[in-house]
């Protein structure tokens, strides 16, 4: 890649919009209740940005994404007529609309304000990462009142911190650790605060004992490093990556191993690496989903798989879309995912002094699509 061109001058976000964006990301780890505080703040951010005209449709590549999103909404709304439980399908469709609205608004804000938006979002995300990691560590060592509430069950093995489940806490940490890794690469000095935060994320990611989160973290780091090597062929970046590799290899791995030994969790780690009894139930649920898709071409309605069929989630986003919205729903959702990946790839090819941040955004998008399988 050629030397990055200087960033064009972009307008600053209005103060109220800045506060909403920061607050939404700063509370994104507090999800023990529904609706979560971040949900309300993201809705407020989206509404404020749309009403004031600060989040127009992304001009460069957002048209295809918006068309695909609207097509999926039309198909999924039509499949609601096939639902058995009206209440659950309305609730599920509402959540879908909320997620797509926030996604389109945030991408438009990124295109309009660029690094200005990313700085605010990262500041909020860093604060909430430190908060949830601190609560998780204190609860793990029983230094908080009623520490048991921050674990999944009475065994006190799988930490969930401020989340409802370790399988949600783990992917959040995987994303946070990947962003922190990018931040350490972006600066000349690693920084003790960033290094400590990265270490906490990795340790708690391990203690969540979420196999999906472990795979997601490995995939995210692999994609991120591959993007950096491909898009940013800079010697200084290679030196920083080698330096971080040495630090993690000589310090990080031994410290994590020592902590596991001290907490006597090696045996539980080994058991989590093997097949679990409920894995067969998940595979059976996915097989039933495929069988159902051959019969219900138009689906059974949003949110109906667990509520009216088998009571066991498919643990596969694409299979759930297929069974609930049918083959048309899967096709339009697949088009939406492809449009997002293509738009992100086009954005990566632009010269920018903040290319690492854009690589992180693309990595997050690609990792989410993988973890949905």
């Amino acid at each position: 890649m050629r030397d990055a061109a200087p960033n064009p001058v972009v307008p600053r976000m209005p103060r109220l919009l800045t506060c909403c964006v920061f607050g939404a990301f700063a509370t994104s780890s507090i999800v023990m209740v529904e609706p979560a505080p971040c949900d309300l703040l993201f809705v407020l951010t989206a509404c404020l940005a749309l009403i004031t005209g600060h989040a127009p449709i992304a001009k460069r590549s957002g048209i295809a994404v918006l068309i695909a999103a609207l097509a999926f909404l039309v198909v999924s709304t039509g499949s609601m007529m096939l639902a058995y439980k009206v209440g659950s399908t309305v609730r599920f469709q509402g959540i879908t609309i909320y997620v797509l609205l926030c996604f389109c608004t945030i991408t438009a804000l990124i295109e309009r304000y660029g690094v200005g938006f990313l700085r605010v979002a990262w500041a909020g995300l860093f604060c909430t990462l430190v908060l949830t990691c601190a609560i998780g560590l204190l609860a793990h060592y029983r230094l908080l009142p009623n520490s048991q509430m921050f674990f999944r069950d009475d065994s006190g093995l799988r930490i969930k911190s401020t989340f409802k489940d370790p399988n949600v806490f783990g992917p959040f940490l995987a994303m946070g650790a990947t962003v922190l890794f990018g931040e350490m690469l972006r600066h000349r000095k690693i920084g003790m605060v960033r290094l400590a935060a990265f270490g906490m994320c990795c340790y708690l990611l391990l203690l969540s004992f979420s196999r999906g989160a472990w795979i997601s973290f490995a995939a995210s780091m692999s994609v991120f490093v591959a993007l950096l090597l491909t898009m940013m062929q800079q010697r200084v970046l290679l030196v920083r990556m080698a330096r971080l590799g040495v630090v993690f290899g000589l310090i990080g791995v031994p410290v994590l191993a020592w902590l596991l030994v001290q907490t006597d969790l090696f045996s539980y780690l080994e058991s989590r690496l093997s097949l679990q009894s409920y894995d067969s139930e998940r595979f059976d649920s996915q097989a039933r989903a495929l069988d159902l898709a051959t019969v219900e071409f138009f689906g059974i309605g949003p949110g109906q798989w667990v509520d009216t069929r088998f009571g066991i989630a498919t643990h596969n986003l694409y299979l759930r879309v297929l069974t609930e919205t049918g083959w048309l729903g899967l096709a339009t959702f697949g088009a939406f995912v492809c449009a997002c990946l293509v738009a992100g790839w086009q954005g990566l090819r632009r010269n920018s002094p903040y290319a690492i941040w854009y690589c992180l955004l693309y990595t997050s998008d690609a990792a989410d699509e993988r973890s949905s399988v």
Side-chain angles (χ1 to χ4, degrees):
M1 177 179 286
R2 300 186 303 274
D3 291 338
N7 256 10
V9 178
V10 294
R12 296 180 60 183
M13 285 194 299
R15 183 170 299 178
L16 181 58
L17 186 59
T18 299
C19 292
C20 289
V21 170
F22 176 83
F25 281 92
T27 57
S28 58
S29 68
I30 307 173
V31 292
M32 298 183 76
V33 295
E34 290 185 3
C38 65
D39 292 330
L40 302 177
L41 287 169
F42 272 121
V43 169
L44 179 61
T45 299
C47 293
L48 181 64
L50 291 171
I51 291 173
T52 59
H54 288 284
I57 297 172
K59 297 178 181 178
R60 292 173 180 168
S61 52
I63 299 298
V65 174
L66 182 62
I67 291 175
L70 290 177
F72 173 70
L73 280 180
V74 169
V75 173
S76 61
T77 301
S79 68
M80 293 176 65
M81 295 184 293
L82 304 173
Y84 180 74
K85 291 187 177 180
V86 177
S88 61
T89 197
V90 170
R91 176 179 178 274
F92 197 87
Q93 186 70 359
I95 294 173
T96 302
I97 294 173
Y98 152 72
V99 172
L100 289 176
L101 173 65
C102 291
F103 173 83
C104 292
T105 303
I106 288 173
T107 52
L109 287 173
I110 291 174
E111 178 153 319
R112 174 160 185 170
Y113 296 105
V115 70
F117 174 87
L118 294 177
R119 283 174 175 166
V120 175
W122 168 238
L125 181 61
F126 182 78
C127 290
T128 202
L129 270 173
V130 173
L131 173 65
T132 192
C133 285
I135 291 175
L137 282 176
L138 292 173
H140 176 67
Y141 290 104
R142 305 304 192 274
L143 297 177
L144 289 178
N146 196 19
S147 295
Q148 194 60 42
M149 68 177 293
F150 299 104
F151 290 86
R152 180 174 184 174
D153 48 44
D154 295 336
S155 63
L157 294 173
R158 299 188 64 187
I159 190 77
K160 66 176 184 178
S161 190
T162 53
F163 289 77
K164 281 191 171 184
D165 191 275
N167 292 325
V168 183
F169 181 45
F172 181 82
L173 293 175
M175 177 272 300
T178 305
V179 175
L180 283 166
F181 179 76
E183 278 293 284
M184 288 187 286
L185 286 179
R186 201 171 64 86
H187 293 82
R188 291 183 180 179
K189 296 182 179 180
I190 294 177
M192 293 306 298
V193 174
R194 287 186 290 269
L195 184 61
F198 180 82
M200 286 195 300
C201 282
C202 291
Y203 183 43
L204 287 167
L205 175 61
L206 191 62
L207 292 181
S208 71
F209 294 104
S210 172
R211 296 169 297 172
W214 296 340
I215 296 173
S216 179
F217 180 55
S220 297
M221 292 292 287
S222 300
V223 171
F224 180 53
V225 170
L227 284 175
L228 290 181
L229 295 177
T230 304
M231 308 301 296
M232 300 179 62
Q233 300 173 4
Q234 300 177 5
R235 182 177 178 275
V236 64
L237 194 61
L238 295 176
V239 172
R240 291 177 186 174
M241 291 176 64
R243 182 178 60 184
L244 286 173
V246 171
V247 171
F248 300 151
L250 296 181
I251 300 177
V253 174
V255 168
L256 287 176
W258 178 79
L259 288 171
L260 283 176
V261 170
Q262 292 297 311
T263 52
D264 194 27
L265 289 174
F266 256 123
S267 59
Y268 187 66
L269 176 62
E270 292 176 353
S271 68
R272 288 295 299 168
L273 291 173
S274 60
L275 287 175
Q276 306 296 306
S277 58
Y278 53 78
D279 286 333
S280 59
E281 296 179 352
R282 293 181 178 179
F283 296 145
D284 290 341
S285 178
Q286 293 173 359
R288 287 195 292 267
L290 288 174
D291 292 338
L292 181 66
T294 61
V295 178
E296 302 287 352
F297 183 85
F298 295 104
I300 59 175
Q304 298 301 292
W305 175 261
V306 174
D307 288 345
T308 64
R309 294 290 173 160
F310 302 104
I312 300 175
T314 59
H315 291 273
N316 184 302
L317 175 61
Y318 303 100
L319 279 179
R320 181 155 189 172
V321 169
L322 174 61
T323 56
E324 294 185 346
T325 62
W327 291 95
L328 288 177
L330 181 63
T332 52
F333 184 75
F336 171 72
V337 170
C338 291
C340 291
L341 294 175
V342 170
W345 181 256
Q346 292 174 347
L348 282 179
R349 299 180 66 84
R350 306 173 200 151
N351 292 332
S352 169
Y354 297 94
I356 287 182
W357 274 359
Y358 293 110
C359 285
L360 283 169
L361 287 174
Y362 191 81
T363 298
S364 176
D365 188 15
D368 282 344
E369 310 311 336
R370 187 228 60 83
S371 62
S372 299
V373 176

